[in-house]
Amino acid sequence: MRKKMKLLLTAVLVVMSLGVLAACNSESEANNSEKANEKETSGSLTISGSSAMQPLIAAAAEEFMSQHPEANIQVNAGGSGTGLSEVSEGAVDIGNSDVFAEEKEGIPADELVDHKVAVVGMAPVVHPDTGVTDITKEDLIKVFTGEIKNWSELGGADQKIILVNRPDSSGTRATFVEFGLDGAVPAEGVTEDSSNTVKKIVAETPGAIGYLAFSYLSDDTVAALSVNGVKANDKNVQSGEYPIWAYQHSYTKGEPKGLAKEFLDFLASDTIQEGLLTDQGYIAATKMEVERDAEGNQSKK
């Protein structure tokens, strides 16, 4: 009897020891996992490119860094061409672009991985006192090619038209030229590197016209024009009725890793896609009823 009790006690002690050992291993694994996560969400990330994307990416970066204080994300603009060039050269971790990499000459598109973050509409914008709210695409082309020189020719104020353009490297310009001007080359005017500056100049200059992403139309300092009677809004972009829109691409050189992958996953999360993205004036790509390829061909989904 005493022998049986001894054996039973030994068995209980063995089971208890195994339980303690398992708990220690579990705690150790949790600590290791936590350390790995801490390591993954630390470090620096540099992003450049599309100024149409900058408000979204900068806001998302702020939110991401508030959750991961050890991460440092720097977001620069400079235009889509700059973003594509710099990411392909390895100068930045992520290059933002309003256009497909295949559309930019000299960019090794086959070396880059495309992450479609969102869709953005773009609108012709004018000084609020212009007196014009709607324009046909034909007249829009005439305005930007210099054939129409005064708003009075379109029933507006007697004001000289002042063109405000983005540089050739700009994805916003490329999108506006392709889908707003049917490929016509804009006449010379004021040229600015930043969408913020374009908005400021149009807002402060009577007679001025430029073009901006919807994400910049958050107040009444500039007025967006309807095109062919179709308002520049999310609903009309989603249906394909409003033609001037583009995907917002974040490109990486090869598959993303580490902090770059975690930030891109964050951009694809519901937190961004169903919250911050729409709050900032962008459209979730999943809500589009139409799609486009790199050649600009639009089709129903």
Side-chain angles (χ1 to χ4, degrees), residues 225-240:
L225 298 181
S226 297
V227 178
N228 290 336
V230 180
K231 289 186 177 180
N233 60 34
D234 290 359
K235 180 183 176 182
N236 291 332
V237 168
Q238 288 169 290
S239 68

Side-chain angles (χ1 to χ4, degrees), residues 97-119:
S97 175
D98 305 330
V99 297
F100 287 88
E102 291 86 345
E103 297 180 65
K104 283 289 184 182
E105 189 176 348
I107 298 298
D110 58 330
E111 297 177 10
L112 303 179
V113 176
D114 184 7
H115 310 271
K116 292 186 181 73
V117 175
V119 166

Side-chain angles (χ1 to χ4, degrees), residues 10-21:
T10 301
V12 169
L13 289 172
V14 168
V15 170
M16 289 177 65
S17 298
L18 289 172
V20 171
L21 184 60

